[in-house]
Amino acid sequence: DGGITQSPKYLFRKEGQNVTLSCEQNLNHDAMYWYRQDPGQGLRLIYYSQIVNDFQKGDIAEGYSVSREKKESFPLTVTSAQKNPTAFYLCASTPDSYNEQFFGPGTRLTVL
Amino acid sequence: GDSVTQMEGPVTLSEEAFLTINCTYTATGYPSLFWYVQYPGEGLQLLLKATKADDKGSNKGFEATYRKETTSFHLEKGSVQVSDSAVYFCARPMEYGNKLVFGAGTILRVKS
C-alpha cells in the first residue's frame, strides 16, 4: 500500500530536549511538507522540500530543523529553541506542487 | 495575493440537514481548488477537487462547483450524518506553485 507514515503517533518529551519526528512516503513524490496544527486552529507551514538535498523555510521555521537526504524521508527536529512545541504535527507530500497534497496521520507531541 | 477565506464555525446541524460551507479565493488565474476533511485526531484527507472553471467535484455525497464569476468553491451536502462531524478545509495552490494555501478550517458538528 502506498502512503505516508508518521511515527510515533504520540510523543512525550521533557522541556529542553530535542526530538525528531519521522515522515516516510513510498509514493515516489518529489515534494514534502511539515505543518503544525494547534488545538482548534488551522495549518501553519514549518518547512518544505521540493527535491532531495534542498528545503525552504515556511512561515514558522524558528526552533525547527529538517533534512532531506533521501526522496522517501523528511524528518523534522523540534529543538529546545522552539518555545511552545506542544502541538499536532502533520507531514504531507505531492508529486506536483500545483496539485493536491497527501497527508500522513500526524504525530501529537507533548512537552512536559 | 493568494488567499482562501472560509466561513467561520462551528457549524452545528441536526442529522439529515442540508450543509453549506462557504469558500472564496483570490487569484489572477484559475488554480485547482480542493476540499479536505480532518476527523478528530487524524491527518487531512482529500475530500474532492476541481481543476478548472465550472468543474464540479463530488465524493461521499459532498459536492462543490468551481465558480470563476464569484471566485467561490462552496461545499454542499444534501443530508449530513453524525459521522460527517469533522473539520473541513478549503485550499488552493499558490500562484507560483510550491505550496498550498489553506483556509482557516470550519468545524462541523452534527447532532443525532
Side-chain angles (χ1 to χ4, degrees):
Chain A
D1 264 342
I4 301 177
T5 57
Q6 291 185 244
S7 61
K9 185 157 182 66
Y10 299 96
L11 191 53
F12 297 89
R13 280 295 182 269
K14 292 184 179 178
E15 197 170 335
Q17 289 182 333
N18 291 358
V19 60
T20 297
L21 282 58
S22 168
C23 177
E24 303 278 329
Q25 53 99 359
N26 60 3
L27 300 167
N28 201 34
H29 288 173
D30 285 316
M32 297 186 74
Y33 303 80
W34 274 106
Y35 295 91
R36 170 180 172 142
Q37 188 177 33
D38 292 286
Q41 302 296 310
L43 302 176
R44 292 188 289 172
L45 182 64
I46 305 172
Y47 267 99
Y48 63 104
S49 167
Q50 293 189 283
I51 198 167
V52 174
N53 293 323
D54 189 39
F55 48 83
Q56 287 79 41
K57 292 182 179 180
D59 302 317
I60 57 163
E62 186 175 348
Y64 299 97
S65 66
V66 293
S67 62
R68 187 87 188 275
E69 296 176 3
K70 298 186 300 181
K71 189 175 187 178
E72 307 80 36
S73 178
F74 191 40
L76 173 75
T77 296
V78 185
T79 75
S80 56
Q82 170 49 236
K83 297 303 178 193
N84 296 295
T86 295
F88 189 51
Y89 290 88
L90 288 160
C91 180
S93 71
T94 182
D96 174 356
S97 58
Y98 285 94
N99 280 299
E100 68 265 33
Q101 293 177 9
F102 298 81
F103 283 80
T107 291
R108 187 166 300 281
L109 172 64
T110 302
V111 175
L112 306 172
Chain B
D2 305 325
S3 71
V4 173
T5 304
Q6 285 182 238
M7 65 187 286
E8 288 191 23
V11 174
T12 303
L13 296 172
S14 297
E15 210 165 16
E16 298 184 4
F18 184 86
L19 168 72
T20 300
I21 300 178
N22 291 341
C23 172
T24 57
Y25 64 92
T26 59
T28 53
Y30 301 106
S32 295
L33 299 170
F34 312 109
W35 274 104
Y36 283 87
V37 58
Q38 184 181 31
Y39 298 104
E42 298 183 9
L44 276 67
Q45 301 174 27
L46 181 68
L47 180 60
L48 55 83
K49 70 177 185 180
T51 58
K52 60 183 188 293
D54 300 325
D55 260 4
K56 177 184 282 189
S58 61
N59 186 24
K60 299 181 182 179
F62 291 89
E63 292 183 339
T65 301
Y66 190 135
R67 304 240 186 246
K68 69 177 190 290
E69 302 85 2
T70 53
T71 60
S72 65
F73 192 54
H74 303 325
L75 183 68
E76 297 181 334
K77 186 176 186 183
S79 175
V80 293
Q81 305 300 313
V82 172
S83 57
D84 294 326
S85 298
V87 184
Y88 293 82
F89 293 94
C90 185
R92 52 150 292 179
M94 290 193 72
E95 205 76 33
Y96 297 103
N98 298 340
K99 312 178 223 181
L100 291 183
V101 179
F102 288 89
T106 303
I107 298 172
L108 171 65
R109 297 179 179 139
V110 181
K111 304 181 298 183
S112 59

